[in-house]
Amino acid sequence: MLIDGKTGTWELVIGLEVHAQVTSKAKLFSGADTVFGAEPNTQVSFVDAAFPGMLPVINRFCVEQAVKTGLGLGAEINLVSIFDRKNYFYADLPAGYQISQYTRPVVGKGTLVLDMPDGQSRTVGITRLHLEQDAGKSLHDQHPTKTYVDLNRSGVALMEIVSEPDLRSPEEAGAYLKKLRAILRYLGTCDGNMEEGSMRCDANVSVRKQGSKELGTRCEIKNVNSVRFVMQAIEYEANRQVELIEEGGTVQQETRLFDSGKGVTRSMRSKEHAHDYRYFPDPDLLPLVLDEKWVAGLKAALPELPDTKRERFIKDFKLSPYDASVLVAEKEQAEYFEAVAQGRKDPKLAANWVMSELFAVLNRQNLDIARSPVKATALAGLLDLIENNTISGRIAKDVFAEMVESGKDAAAIVEQKGLKQVTDTGAIEKAVDDVIAANADKVEQIKAGKVQLIGWFVGQVMKGTGGKANPGMVNEILKKKLGI
Ligand code: ADP
Ligand code: MG
């Protein structure tokens, strides 16, 4: 996106920091549970509450999840990394510091490919991924004058995934978040649920004159919790900065909050710097040293990820790049499609049915595909009936609607309702004769050269047979009888 200002054209520069909660039953340095929505302070060990003398013990599984994520992002895995203390005071941080990784993160540079709606792709740099602990939560809405603290989240493992300032529009930022979320979900390393806070995003935004190579001063918009809000916040913030600069002001590097109700960003605090946090290596923890073979084993066991699956769908199922991107965006969706398309003469038919008819029903009923009223095998059964000419595509839509309603399978519905396509030449000829006899005027017109009327004739014959005649045969017989 470019912004046309009074003094010229401006370019947006965006870098995102995503906090992704590691999918793990236990916390990063304690054995406490991590179930979402539990009663406050029921999942807190002495370590999480920072009782004196309690020592952190690294959770091997969380490290594995972070390394898998790094591998999924095609990133360098650092065989030696360090846990640091990031010191600050807040009521929901009982230790007075967060254990994080600063100078030596577990994962270094990687990449992520964006699939844009226009079919283009763009590669965005990943700067790093590090492991850190979440803080507790201050509850300000429980009492008129008091704030309560819930430590259930305290110590939960987070991966902070930092992008290079490579994004240039709210749409690219949205595509980045969606793609990152898809990769995390394919890997099973984060559930990607933004409403429940398991994925949170800080957006760094600056503007510069188009063509300029230098970066402008950025503002960081903290903790935005939906893709749509991130996009809105970036758009608002970029326009604010352009107006400010064009009116002679300068952008102050600061932390801002997005007010989703008003659609604006507001200053929260001036930017803190690394030295404010007095980072130092946590003396309670040894350096994290990974075995190269162990990492190689994780790499070999990675599941097929969206980009590879997309290429395979394009190649094996002859899908367009766009259709393939849509279908692989969710793992469950891709698996559903593949179950329907597998072994089919015309896999494109499966793609069309999943993306139009099925998605329409899921949208209307606000269901995700795992809870689809029509399972993959049932849809495959319906498509079999189209492919072997038992029913027409037209009738199939009615059958599908009935499948959604009743949960019955396609063959049973076709049988019960007598919807089998008429492929008996005699019956179709009779229907064609009836239409020709009743429409002498149109017959004359078509014979006189108005051939586009054929569509109308086909329509009449289909109507006469309750939509059950095989459309190809109707066409053929009509042309023969009309002599065109
Ligand atoms: P901090 O830890 O202070 O937030 P980082 O250097 O780690 O700072 O940068 C954080 C994020 O800000 C990264 O995603 C990076 O790409 C982005 N970023 C850095 N400079 C700019 C800039 N001038 N405009 C937009 N984004 C930027
Ligand atoms: Mg930051």
Side-chain angles (χ1 to χ4, degrees):
M1 185 176 103
L2 296 171
I3 297 176
D4 263 327
K6 288 195 291 261
T7 62
T9 306
W10 298 82
E11 180 182 51
L12 276 66
V13 175
I14 305 149
L16 299 180
E17 292 164 272
V18 171
H19 288 92
Q21 180 176 334
V22 175
T23 299
S24 162
K25 289 204 174 76
K27 296 183 179 179
L28 184 54
F29 297 110
S30 87
D33 285 340
T34 60
V35 182
F36 177 78
E39 274 291 296
N41 296 312
T42 55
Q43 302 183 152
V44 188
S45 75
F46 291 133
V47 176
D48 310 322
F51 274 38
M54 300 311 298
L55 291 172
V57 177
I58 185 84
N59 177 342
R60 183 190 174 96
F61 181 69
C62 292
V63 175
E64 180 174 326
Q65 293 285 65
V67 171
K68 267 183 163 174
T69 306
L71 292 167
L73 295 168
E76 295 159 17
I77 306 300
N78 294 325
L79 296 178
V80 179
S81 65
I82 305 282
F83 286 104
D84 297 289
R85 288 188 181 179
K86 179 179 180 179
N87 300 281
Y88 65 93
F89 171 79
Y90 209 74
D92 57 25
L93 187 78
Y97 59 85
Q98 175 193 29
I99 304 177
S100 181
Q101 296 192 299
Y102 180 59
T103 47
R104 302 183 72 175
V106 62
V107 175
K109 285 194 183 310
T111 52
L112 184 138
V113 177
L114 304 185
D115 314 307
M116 301 307 293
D118 60 5
Q120 302 282 319
S121 29
R122 277 210 51 205
T123 302
V124 176
I126 303 284
T127 315
R128 58 189 268 151
L129 175 157
H130 66 249
L131 273 168
E132 63 183 30
Q133 303 174 296
D134 205 351
K137 196 172 172 196
S138 298
L139 309 172
H140 302 292
D141 55 359
Q142 308 285 306
H143 189 279
T145 55
K146 291 179 181 165
T147 288
Y148 290 94
V149 172
D150 173 12
L151 292 179
N152 281 351
R153 295 192 70 98
S154 170
V156 164
L158 303 178
M159 297 178 280
E160 178 168 335
I161 304 164
V162 182
S163 87
E164 292 289 305
D166 286 350
L167 300 157
R168 293 290 174 270
S169 65
E171 289 70 33
E172 286 186 1
Y176 174 91
L177 289 173
K178 285 185 192 152
K179 188 59 174 286
L180 180 59
R181 182 171 177 272
I183 292 172
L184 295 170
R185 288 169 55 92
Y186 268 71
L187 290 165
T189 57
C190 168
D191 67 26
N193 191 331
M194 288 189 91
E195 287 108 78
E196 291 182 3
S198 28
M199 214 175 120
R200 286 167 279 166
C201 177
D202 303 343
N204 294 268
V205 180
S206 67
V207 296
R208 64 182 175 191
K209 277 277 171 68
Q210 190 181 15
S212 157
K213 290 274 167 281
E214 266 160 62
L215 292 174
T217 304
R218 70 184 147 122
C219 289
E220 177 170 358
I221 312 158
K222 275 276 177 208
N223 267 332
V224 193
N225 67 355
S226 87
V227 174
R228 197 161 54 90
F229 289 159
V230 171
M231 293 171 66
Q232 285 174 9
I234 291 170
E235 177 147 12
Y236 174 87
E237 179 60 20
N239 281 299
R240 183 189 75 84
Q241 292 180 12
V242 167
E243 266 173 47
L244 179 68
I245 300 168
E246 292 200 326
E247 278 162 16
T250 43
V251 175
Q252 298 300 322
Q253 188 170 342
E254 62 181 358
T255 302
R256 299 177 70 86
L257 279 182
F258 180 62
D259 178 338
S260 57
K262 297 203 175 73
V264 303
T265 64
R266 265 198 303 263
S267 179
M268 180 169 120
R269 57 172 188 248
S270 66
K271 172 74 188 168
E272 69 287 356
H273 294 280
H275 61 250
D276 298 326
Y277 290 116
R278 294 285 184 267
Y279 279 101
F280 65 87
D282 190 316
D284 290 341
L285 288 157
L286 290 167
L288 180 63
V289 179
L290 307 178
D291 174 30
E292 212 169 342
K293 283 212 196 77
W294 180 74
V295 175
L298 292 179
K299 186 169 185 182
L302 284 185
E304 184 181 40
L305 292 172
D307 290 337
T308 321
K309 203 185 275 296
R310 177 173 176 271
E311 291 317 305
R312 186 166 61 79
F313 280 7
I314 293 172
K315 188 164 149 284
D316 290 0
F317 298 128
K318 310 279 175 287
L319 299 188
S320 70
Y322 175 78
D323 287 359
S325 302
V326 171
L327 288 168
V328 304
E330 291 280 347
K331 185 167 156 237
E332 290 77 12
Q333 217 165 271
E335 282 166 358
Y336 185 107
F337 161 74
E338 198 164 2
V340 179
Q342 202 55 261
R344 194 166 291 290
K345 274 202 306 277
D346 181 10
K348 181 81 184 130
L349 182 72
N352 289 343
W353 272 80
V354 170
M355 289 171 62
S356 54
E357 306 303 319
L358 182 73
F359 283 5
V361 168
L362 298 178
N363 272 338
R364 220 178 306 133
Q365 304 192 6
N366 198 16
L367 292 175
D368 54 44
I369 203 152
R371 296 183 40 227
S372 168
V374 178
K375 300 288 172 238
T377 44
L379 181 56
L382 176 67
L383 301 193
D384 289 345
L385 297 180
I386 302 177
E387 281 188 345
N388 66 21
N389 279 323
T390 307
I391 54 174
S392 66
R394 214 345 251 100
I395 292 284
K397 294 197 177 168
D398 298 341
V399 175
F400 182 71
E402 174 83 27
M403 291 166 77
V404 172
E405 276 299 304
S406 67
K408 285 193 199 135
D409 78 39
I413 296 169
V414 168
E415 192 61 50
Q416 262 166 25
K417 300 212 156 172
L419 295 173
K420 271 211 176 97
Q421 182 160 257
V422 178
T423 50
D424 160 12
T425 320
I428 296 178
E429 282 194 345
K430 166 137 197 337
V432 168
D433 288 342
D434 290 348
V435 172
I436 288 179
N439 297 284
D441 51 333
K442 293 224 165 51
V443 172
E444 248 169 62
Q445 289 176 26
I446 200 168
K447 285 188 169 164
K450 207 171 166 194
V451 284
Q452 65 271 35
L453 269 177
I454 188 80
W456 182 84
F457 276 95
V458 174
Q460 292 306 108
V461 176
M462 292 307 286
K463 213 161 159 194
T465 58
K468 289 188 285 181
N470 176 302
M473 290 175 70
V474 171
N475 227 305
E476 214 172 281
I477 293 172
L478 263 171
K479 281 185 176 161
K480 202 173 67 198
K481 296 213 177 222
L482 292 168
I484 57 168

